[in-house]
Amino acid sequence: QVQLVESGGGLVQAGGSLRLSCAASGSVFNRYVMGWYRQAPGKQRELVATITSDGSTAYADSVKGQFTISRDNTQNTVYLQMNSLKPEDTAVYYCNARRRLGNGDLSNYWGQGTQVTVSS
């Protein structure tokens, strides 16, 4: 079992920055691909960024150059640095952990989400 707890959300003016954190329980954190997703009101949840255990990253086109995902395997924590925030970045941001088990099953966990609101 992996428990994920997000923090760092809040209200910020357009152009501002926030850093989200996601603390994970468990001793196998470094085996998981970690990701950030977001869900705006009335919209589907969408992928924002992912980072593999060895630090390879991938981003949605909409946040490339604006957001940075990172992880600290010694602290079991993944971060999302969000700069130059826009009102359209307003959403609930969710942390995700996933990995393929030896039997082929997908181990997949979600945090409870943290609200990010960007005012214009």
Side-chain angles (χ1 to χ4, degrees):
Q1 280 279 19
V2 175
Q3 291 187 325
L4 304 173
V5 179
E6 301 103 332
S7 61
L11 174 64
V12 64
Q13 288 189 332
S17 298
L18 283 175
R19 189 175 83 151
L20 305 183
S21 299
C22 172
S25 66
S27 60
V28 293
F29 172 80
N30 62 353
R31 299 182 191 178
Y32 281 82
V33 175
M34 300 301 298
W36 287 98
Y37 290 71
R38 66 185 180 186
Q39 187 168 16
K43 294 189 175 181
Q44 301 247 3
R45 189 174 298 189
E46 63 175 1
L47 174 67
V48 174
T50 60
I51 185 167
T52 64
S53 56
D54 64 359
S56 297
T57 58
Y59 296 91
D61 287 344
S62 58
V63 304
K64 281 181 182 176
Q66 182 190 359
F67 291 2
T68 303
I69 189 170
S70 61
R71 67 191 292 165
D72 184 341
N73 289 336
T74 66
Q75 298 293 322
N76 284 11
T77 302
V78 62
Y79 305 96
L80 185 69
Q81 178 66 44
M82 306 185 294
N83 298 327
S84 303
L85 284 162
K86 310 165 191 173
E88 50 264 43
D89 295 316
T90 294
V92 178
Y93 284 71
Y94 296 91
C95 181
N96 173 261
R98 61 179 171 84
R99 72 181 181 107
R100 189 70 62 180
L101 301 177
N103 63 5
D105 291 345
L106 181 65
S107 178
N108 193 44
Y109 298 95
W110 293 94
Q112 82 287 353
T114 186
Q115 176 70 47
V116 171
T117 303
V118 184
S119 63
S120 56

